[in-house]
Amino acid sequence: MELLKYSINLLQKVEAVVCEDVWMSYKSFFGGRKLALKGVSLRIEEGEIFGILGPNAAGKTTLISILSTLLIPDQGKVRVLGMDAFKEVKRVRERINISSGLNLPWSLSVYECLKFFSLAYGVSNSKVEELIEDFELSEFRDIEFEELSTGNKQKLSLAKTFINDPELVFLDEPTTGLDPDVARKVRKKISQIHKERNLTIVLTTHYMAEAEQLCDRIVFLNKGRIIAEGTQKELKEIIGAKDIIKVELASKPSESILEKIGTAKNIHAFDVKDNKLLLYVDDSEKRMKEVLEILRPNWDEIKRVSMEEATLEDVFLELAKRG
Amino acid sequence: MKTKIWKELRKTLAFSYKNIIMTKRNFFTIFEMLFWPLISLFSIGLMGAYLDITENKFAFIMIGAISLSVIQLAQLDVTYVLLFDVWSKSLKYTFATPASFYHMIIGSWFVGILRGLVAFLALSLFSIFIFGFDMGRLPLLELSVFLLGLFFAAMLIGMAACILMLVFGRRAEIAAWTLTAIIMLICGIYYPVSVLPETARLVALLIPVTHFLEYFRSFYGFAPSFPNPLLIGFAQSFVYFLIFILLSEWSLKRARKNGMIMKLSE
């Protein structure tokens, strides 16, 4: 019987978060209402690292705040770990945690801060020392929060996130404002914790490279709307471009070239940045000949041609352009 | 069951713990516990001595002065539970925990009682040595009941200030320092409520502190407005406590709907 249950569980995709048609608006300065989220729906499976990507003011923090019970939307349903996020708030909060911004009670030392949160979550103090050790904060144990470096503040904020052994954590821009070395360490730690504890992580970021490195699945959020969702591979396939051919010209590409490129069968999309031409293709090696053929009348203009794999940033920019 | 009670207790103690550390670390909290109350008592005592009033009338105003300081101090601790987080921009983390509003209030209120007792002892000793007025000469039970009433009142005022902040945001921070003064003004801090205009007197009778003060002053020969001031004071406190718990739930839900928690964390 147990084996059967286990097998059924394995077969079923268990969802950590289900969010359906969520709308959220804020009162604007001039009295009207500003829409922050416009009908957002998503499903996050247990055990995955799910990325919410988008530029500033896309609605990432609003969405993560709703999912972590800090905000109630104007409309929509949210289930977290199988519970109603608006009706079973306390039960949800016992099983989740959030790190959002580098602000913790200012006069509390590292130890006191973690002890305060262990008490507030109603869990034992034994986790405090373990987390201090785990996040390499022993040296700063008695240092007050406001005296910590930005990197250590982030470490403490992350350590606090694991005080209640959560099944689901929300990390809101965990590396923003950190220097590259600390940001790399933080990403490594997130990845390590995910592997060790097999928990679900929902992460917002505007660093596409960070999402590429960490996330299993991603949604792109732009102006309060989800514009695409999937694995990195699936997202690249949405725009039909896994590769980019970059052509640097002596001057801006002429209208006739752009027209030819626009009608070329195997060039899925293109972008012009000053004298550079970015051509999104399914396979750069296969399509190179066709591209060079189009550019033949302007042969003398070509300064450089290179091939690259499309990044999430390229995908996002293309999707944002399409609206 | 035992685990559940233990969890609830820990959640409450979290806020006592935070307030104690914040009090210990921030010099202004020590200042407000001793400096301002002593200055206030000293000036009121000197004024009483200059006016050459009767011993009972002198007791009347000294009780008012000491009570104001004790209530204000205990109330500030309750309000600080929210204010420290607002100032640290960490309010969202506190509200992301499974702790409830009442855990916050009761936990911080414990610290308020401690600070209030320290201030009460300091002020009582000061008034004995400087002005020869001994507030503690009453039997311990009566004095304890009176202080308990003041601490209940402080909790209610603190809750009101927290609710105002959740509804009106940072604009309402000022309530932390003004609410007690306004309420004490109506409750007859240095005068009997009978001297107030009719409407203000009616309002005063709806405030528990009025009845606690009248109870205590009855030992100094001043007749209370109602025969059982203590009972009325505690009954009113209980009713207001229930109302404020409901109001706090409403204000929290509202703050989650309109984003006030997030705004107070920025």
Side-chain angles (χ1 to χ4, degrees):
Chain A
M1 194 62 188
E2 284 299 309
L3 188 67
L4 184 67
K5 270 187 192 170
Y6 178 71
S7 310
I8 291 169
N9 275 341
L10 278 182
L11 288 171
Q12 281 176 336
K13 278 186 175 178
V14 187
E15 277 152 342
V17 177
V18 179
C19 171
E20 284 170 10
D21 194 28
V22 167
W23 291 76
M24 182 74 191
S25 64
Y26 294 110
K27 208 171 164 186
S28 76
F29 186 73
F30 299 104
R33 293 198 78 82
K34 192 176 173 264
L35 276 172
L37 294 177
K38 303 166 188 170
V40 169
S41 296
L42 53 87
R43 283 164 192 271
I44 301 168
E45 284 160 30
E46 268 186 8
E48 70 176 339
I49 302 187
F50 188 87
I52 301 172
L53 272 73
N56 289 333
K60 300 187 298 289
T61 301
T62 300
L63 179 57
I64 215 168
S65 302
I66 290 171
L67 302 182
S68 59
T69 76
L70 286 169
L71 281 176
I72 300 175
D74 303 336
Q75 191 188 309
K77 285 181 188 165
V78 175
R79 290 192 76 76
V80 174
L81 300 170
M83 294 171 280
D84 188 318
F86 312 133
K87 289 182 184 157
E88 298 169 273
V89 182
K90 297 278 181 299
R91 284 183 59 214
V92 170
R93 287 177 181 173
E94 274 176 5
R95 294 168 59 188
I96 65 167
N97 211 315
I98 182 171
S99 165
S100 171
L102 294 180
N103 296 309
L104 287 165
W106 88 68
S107 287
L108 268 57
S109 69
V110 167
Y111 173 82
E112 290 159 350
C113 192
L114 291 174
K115 190 175 172 187
F116 163 67
F117 282 105
S118 78
L119 289 166
Y121 277 91
V123 296
S124 106
N125 284 349
S126 60
K127 287 291 293 179
V128 175
E129 294 294 351
E130 189 190 315
L131 287 169
I132 288 177
E133 188 96 349
D134 221 24
F135 281 82
E136 297 162 10
L137 286 164
S138 308
E139 208 184 317
F140 313 99
R141 197 178 186 281
D142 300 317
I143 307 286
E144 288 174 37
F145 180 75
E146 77 260 37
E147 285 166 22
L148 293 172
S149 66
T150 313
N152 285 326
K153 281 180 180 171
Q154 186 57 270
K155 276 189 197 171
L156 178 58
S157 179
L158 279 176
K160 175 244 131 196
T161 310
F162 298 99
I163 198 79
N164 57 329
D165 272 327
E167 293 158 57
L168 167 65
V169 295
F170 297 96
L171 306 178
D172 188 14
E173 311 217 346
T175 57
T176 300
L178 301 182
D179 63 54
D181 186 43
V182 180
R184 189 179 51 82
K185 281 182 185 164
V186 168
R187 280 196 286 272
K188 203 175 154 192
K189 191 78 198 168
I190 293 169
S191 190
Q192 182 198 336
I193 290 169
H194 176 249
K195 273 182 201 148
E196 282 171 6
R197 306 179 190 210
N198 194 35
L199 43 76
T200 312
I201 297 177
V202 181
L203 175 116
T204 71
T205 181
H206 56 258
Y207 298 135
M208 305 289 164
E210 183 165 286
E212 287 204 76
Q213 192 186 328
L214 289 172
C215 300
D216 300 314
R217 280 197 315 129
I218 289 157
V219 290
F220 280 133
L221 204 61
N222 195 26
K223 294 174 187 164
R225 263 185 223 289
I226 289 181
I227 53 173
E229 181 180 353
T231 61
Q232 291 181 40
K233 198 177 157 217
E234 285 165 353
L235 287 170
K236 286 172 187 174
E237 277 168 7
I238 290 175
I239 61 163
K242 281 190 284 184
D243 289 346
I244 304 172
I245 298 175
K246 288 188 178 175
V247 183
E248 199 179 328
L249 300 162
S251 58
K252 262 195 154 184
S254 66
E255 284 299 317
S256 63
I257 291 182
L258 294 180
E259 205 180 307
K260 277 184 192 169
I261 286 168
T263 52
K265 198 176 130 197
N266 293 311
I267 298 173
H268 297 287
F270 71 94
D271 214 349
V272 181
K273 281 182 186 167
D274 302 322
N275 294 352
K276 281 181 196 153
L277 202 52
L278 309 178
L279 309 169
Y280 297 90
V281 295
D282 55 351
D283 187 329
S284 53
E285 280 180 23
K286 263 192 198 170
R287 307 299 168 204
M288 185 58 91
K289 198 179 162 194
E290 193 179 337
V291 169
L292 294 176
E293 199 63 43
I294 294 170
L295 295 169
R296 190 191 287 271
N298 301 65
W299 200 252
D300 297 339
E301 289 266 298
I302 298 171
K303 284 175 75 180
R304 190 182 164 133
V305 179
S306 61
M307 295 182 293
E308 274 177 27
E309 202 180 313
T311 61
L312 280 177
E313 190 165 352
D314 299 317
V315 178
F316 177 74
L317 289 172
E318 178 56 26
L319 287 170
K321 207 167 72 181
R322 291 182 193 180
Chain B
M1 186 65 183
K2 203 178 156 190
T3 324
K4 206 179 168 200
I5 294 170
W6 180 235
K7 263 191 166 185
E8 291 299 295
L9 190 66
R10 286 182 71 80
K11 286 176 193 170
T12 307
L13 289 177
F15 298 96
S16 308
Y17 180 74
K18 188 173 76 177
N19 269 33
I20 285 174
I21 292 166
M22 289 290 204
T23 303
K24 212 169 64 179
R25 297 269 155 79
N26 291 291
F27 187 66
F28 72 90
T29 56
I30 310 289
F31 220 67
E32 71 192 9
M33 189 164 73
L34 296 170
F35 182 78
W36 294 120
L38 288 176
I39 290 287
S40 165
L41 189 76
F42 194 51
S43 59
I44 299 287
L46 284 178
M47 185 182 71
Y50 167 71
L51 292 174
D52 198 20
I53 50 180
T54 63
E55 198 181 322
N56 277 359
K57 279 189 177 164
F58 186 70
F60 192 100
I61 57 169
M62 291 299 269
I63 290 166
I66 293 174
S67 301
L68 171 66
S69 293
V70 170
I71 292 182
Q72 183 131 48
L73 208 54
Q75 168 258 308
L76 271 175
D77 261 295
V78 177
T79 319
Y80 280 157
V81 79
L82 214 68
L83 272 180
F84 282 142
D85 270 331
V86 171
W87 293 337
S88 306
K89 299 177 182 177
S90 59
L91 192 69
K92 62 183 167 190
Y93 284 134
T94 299
F95 281 117
T97 69
S100 301
F101 190 76
Y102 64 83
H103 291 119
M104 296 169 69
I105 296 296
I106 294 171
S108 56
W109 183 55
F110 287 158
V111 183
I113 291 176
L114 275 178
R115 286 216 303 156
L117 281 175
V118 170
F120 175 76
L121 282 175
L123 293 172
S124 298
L125 287 174
F126 189 80
S127 67
I128 292 170
F129 290 119
I130 307 290
F131 301 109
F133 167 69
D134 183 5
M135 198 164 165
R137 74 176 179 204
L138 282 186
L140 191 63
L141 181 68
E142 278 80 354
L143 182 65
S144 305
V145 169
F146 170 65
L147 284 174
L148 189 67
L150 294 189
F151 290 134
F152 266 126
M155 178 171 66
L156 293 172
I157 300 169
M159 282 174 92
C162 287
I163 292 167
L164 286 174
M165 268 189 281
L166 285 173
V167 175
F168 298 107
R170 288 202 169 88
R171 281 174 294 170
E173 266 185 35
I174 195 72
W177 295 274
T178 52
L179 264 186
T180 300
I182 293 167
I183 285 169
M184 291 302 277
L185 198 72
I186 300 171
C187 294
I189 174 173
Y190 304 125
Y191 36 80
V193 285
S194 56
V195 304
L196 294 170
E198 183 64 23
T199 321
R201 195 149 54 86
L202 282 173
V203 174
L205 294 176
L206 293 172
I207 300 173
V209 184
T210 308
H211 304 286
F212 294 131
L213 282 173
E214 289 198 339
Y215 164 76
F216 201 71
R217 282 163 175 166
S218 67
F219 296 104
Y220 293 85
F222 298 94
S225 310
F226 291 104
N228 223 330
L230 208 55
L231 186 70
I232 296 169
F234 279 111
Q236 281 183 344
S237 299
F238 182 69
V239 172
Y240 291 142
F241 179 73
L242 292 181
I243 292 171
F244 284 176
I245 284 288
L246 292 175
L247 275 176
S248 66
E249 289 297 323
W250 167 81
S251 61
L252 262 176
K253 200 168 178 183
R254 188 179 181 274
R256 285 172 63 215
K257 273 186 177 168
N258 64 13
M260 184 58 84
I261 290 175
M262 305 305 286
K263 271 185 215 157
L264 289 172
S265 309
E266 284 167 358

